[in-house]
Amino acid sequence: MPKIGNIQLPEFPLLLAPMEDVSDPPFRALCKEQGADVVYTEFISSEGLIRDAAKSVMKLDIYEKERPVGIQIFGAVLESMLRTVEIVEASGPDIIDINFGCPVKKVVSKGAGAGILKDIDLMVSLTEAMVKHTKLPVTVKTRLGWDHDSIRILEVAERLQDVGCQAISIHGRTRAQMYKGDADWRPIADVKNNPRMHIPVFGNGDVDTPEKATQMRDKYGLDGAMIGRASIGYPWFFKEVKHYFKTGEHLAPPTIIERVDAARRHLQMAIDWKGEKLGVFETRRHYTNYFKGIPDFKPYRMKMVTSDDSASVFEAFDEVLQVFGDYEFV
Ligand SMILES: Cc1cc2nc3c(=O)[nH]c(=O)nc-3n(C[C@H](O)[C@H](O)[C@H](O)COP(=O)(O)O)c2cc1C
């Protein structure tokens, strides 16, 4: 069974992917309750942390109940990354994860995120320096390569392992692909099948059904699946995959009562954690999925995603229970 440093994980663990403005403590806690084995924070800018930018610092918050949790950081400047390791350590995560995969221009143009895929030596030396600077396990999340013609993930993974990286999560796309096309899991399997590799290799990209998670495990032989978009507004995805692993059957989807309960708790935790305004605003993106598939739902969804005060959103949840209380999801 895979281990990240001394953290023992179950067979084929499911990891909640780091997602900006999504993987915050309330959402991570809900995913953990539903079976996520490891959760990651959204990426946090090392330069922002060093400047003590309030928004970056707030992202370091962790609930005890979500452990093991990895804090993900990004940056490309050695001194800043080392100072960041110290700041991150002080907030007590179980893992420090380095983002070498973010494709967005504002990150890449500074040589961070996937930008570093153009300078593998720097990627390796930064990782080595960070490993030496902390007692926590350091993991890496990356993509296959910069573009189709420069896929060197086999070599990259080996070199990261050799400098002490304790696990690697690989999104089966290149930076050039952004989110287009299908994720290709074959090069990830090649990394796993490299006889020199002994750290866990987690697959990422497009796992949105229990069958796909099973393929990642059985056909591609990976050590675990990192799940992103399929969990947004649907933390039950982790439980559904695990149920399928155990029984080969699909779990019945959550009832409307369970969905309203999760949405309510999500909003309340978000408000408690970041205040009324941000809590209301940043939980909006989950509602579409929480209540996906219900006919004639638009007025209720509109109320949830346009109201500026939580009382109106909670009221919309109550109305949903009244109107759709016995709706059966298929
Ligand atoms: C809204 C959103 C925000 C994301 N933010 C991050 C991030 O902060 N750090 C990171 O490494 N990847 C980030 N990603 C990429 C995901 O972690 C993941 O690699 C990608 O979505 C593919 O997995 P999926 O098909 O399961 O969603 C983000 C993806 C989405 C959709």
Side-chain angles (χ1 to χ4, degrees):
M1 285 196 279
K3 270 176 127 182
I4 301 178
N6 289 326
I7 305 167
Q8 180 65 63
L9 300 173
E11 199 192 337
F12 202 78
L14 304 178
L15 296 78
L16 170 65
M19 286 184 283
E20 187 178 21
D21 293 336
V22 176
S23 305
D24 59 6
F27 182 61
R28 298 196 305 260
L30 288 169
C31 290
K32 172 81 185 183
E33 276 175 25
Q34 298 298 333
D37 296 296
V38 182
V39 298
Y40 286 92
T41 67
E42 64 183 292
F43 68 171
I44 308 177
S45 155
S46 82
E47 304 300 335
L49 273 182
I50 289 168
R51 276 201 321 273
D52 202 27
K55 204 161 182 228
S56 298
V57 173
M58 194 176 169
K59 291 175 186 171
L60 296 172
D61 286 356
I62 291 169
Y63 297 145
E64 276 308 307
K65 59 186 170 189
E66 58 176 296
R67 291 183 188 281
V69 56
I71 289 185
Q72 190 191 62
I73 54 179
F74 72 96
V77 178
L78 177 63
E79 298 72 35
S80 309
M81 289 296 261
L82 294 181
R83 175 77 194 106
T84 301
V85 166
E86 293 161 15
I87 299 170
V88 166
E89 255 187 348
S91 62
D94 304 286
I95 298 163
I96 296 181
D97 187 68
I98 320 172
N99 177 317
F100 288 144
C102 176
V104 305
K105 223 177 193 165
K106 69 171 190 227
V107 173
V108 167
S109 63
K110 298 200 174 93
I116 211 152
L117 287 165
K118 283 180 155 175
D119 188 348
I120 304 296
D121 288 342
L122 178 62
M123 182 181 189
V124 173
S125 64
L126 269 182
T127 305
E128 180 172 24
M130 290 170 67
V131 167
K132 286 184 174 154
H133 206 62
T134 177
K135 289 199 172 59
L136 291 172
V138 173
T139 61
V140 162
K141 177 165 180 279
T142 188
R143 289 187 173 229
L144 297 179
W146 178 257
D147 59 19
H148 187 264
D149 299 326
S150 62
I151 294 180
R152 289 163 63 194
I153 191 64
L154 215 58
E155 171 203 337
V156 167
E158 240 188 75
R159 290 182 64 186
L160 291 172
Q161 171 182 273
D162 289 348
V163 297
C165 171
Q166 299 277 354
I168 182 164
S169 303
I170 305 169
H171 179 181
R173 289 186 176 86
T174 62
R175 190 273 168 176
Q177 277 180 287
M178 305 295 280
Y179 283 89
K180 290 194 291 281
D182 292 331
D184 184 359
W185 299 343
R186 285 168 307 179
I188 314 177
D190 292 342
V191 172
K192 172 62 195 167
N193 291 329
N194 173 358
R196 279 211 65 238
M197 288 300 286
H198 54 80
I199 59 170
V201 178
F202 301 123
N204 172 239
D206 300 349
V207 178
D208 54 7
T209 61
E211 285 85 348
K212 285 198 195 167
T214 306
Q215 265 204 350
M216 204 175 241
R217 183 186 66 175
D218 297 344
K219 181 171 172 199
Y220 293 86
L222 303 183
D223 290 308
M226 178 178 268
I227 291 157
R229 289 167 292 178
S231 68
I232 300 178
Y234 203 78
W236 302 278
F237 187 66
F238 297 96
K239 186 163 87 175
E240 291 183 356
V241 171
K242 288 191 165 176
H243 181 83
Y244 189 81
F245 282 169
K246 227 190 251 166
T247 64
E249 286 175 12
H250 287 269
L251 192 65
T255 63
I256 198 86
I257 295 174
E258 289 171 290
R259 289 168 196 252
V260 168
D261 179 59
R264 243 191 217 135
R265 290 175 54 225
H266 194 160
L267 177 58
Q268 190 57 58
M269 283 192 281
I271 292 169
D272 293 345
W273 178 59
K274 49 190 157 190
E276 166 90 8
K277 193 167 167 221
L278 271 182
V280 167
F281 181 72
E282 291 186 359
T283 314
R284 283 179 182 165
R285 69 162 65 213
H286 292 267
Y287 299 140
T288 302
N289 283 359
Y290 273 135
F291 301 108
K292 202 175 188 166
I294 305 177
D296 304 322
F297 194 76
K298 196 170 172 197
Y300 303 93
R301 189 176 63 242
M302 289 311 288
K303 185 163 173 177
M304 290 173 198
V305 301
T306 56
S307 299
D308 290 328
D309 63 301
S310 62
S312 306
V313 184
F314 283 121
E315 196 179 81
F317 295 155
D318 291 340
E319 288 163 6
V320 168
L321 264 190
Q322 274 170 22
V323 178
F324 301 101
D326 48 13
Y327 179 76
E328 287 194 15
F329 290 88
V330 282

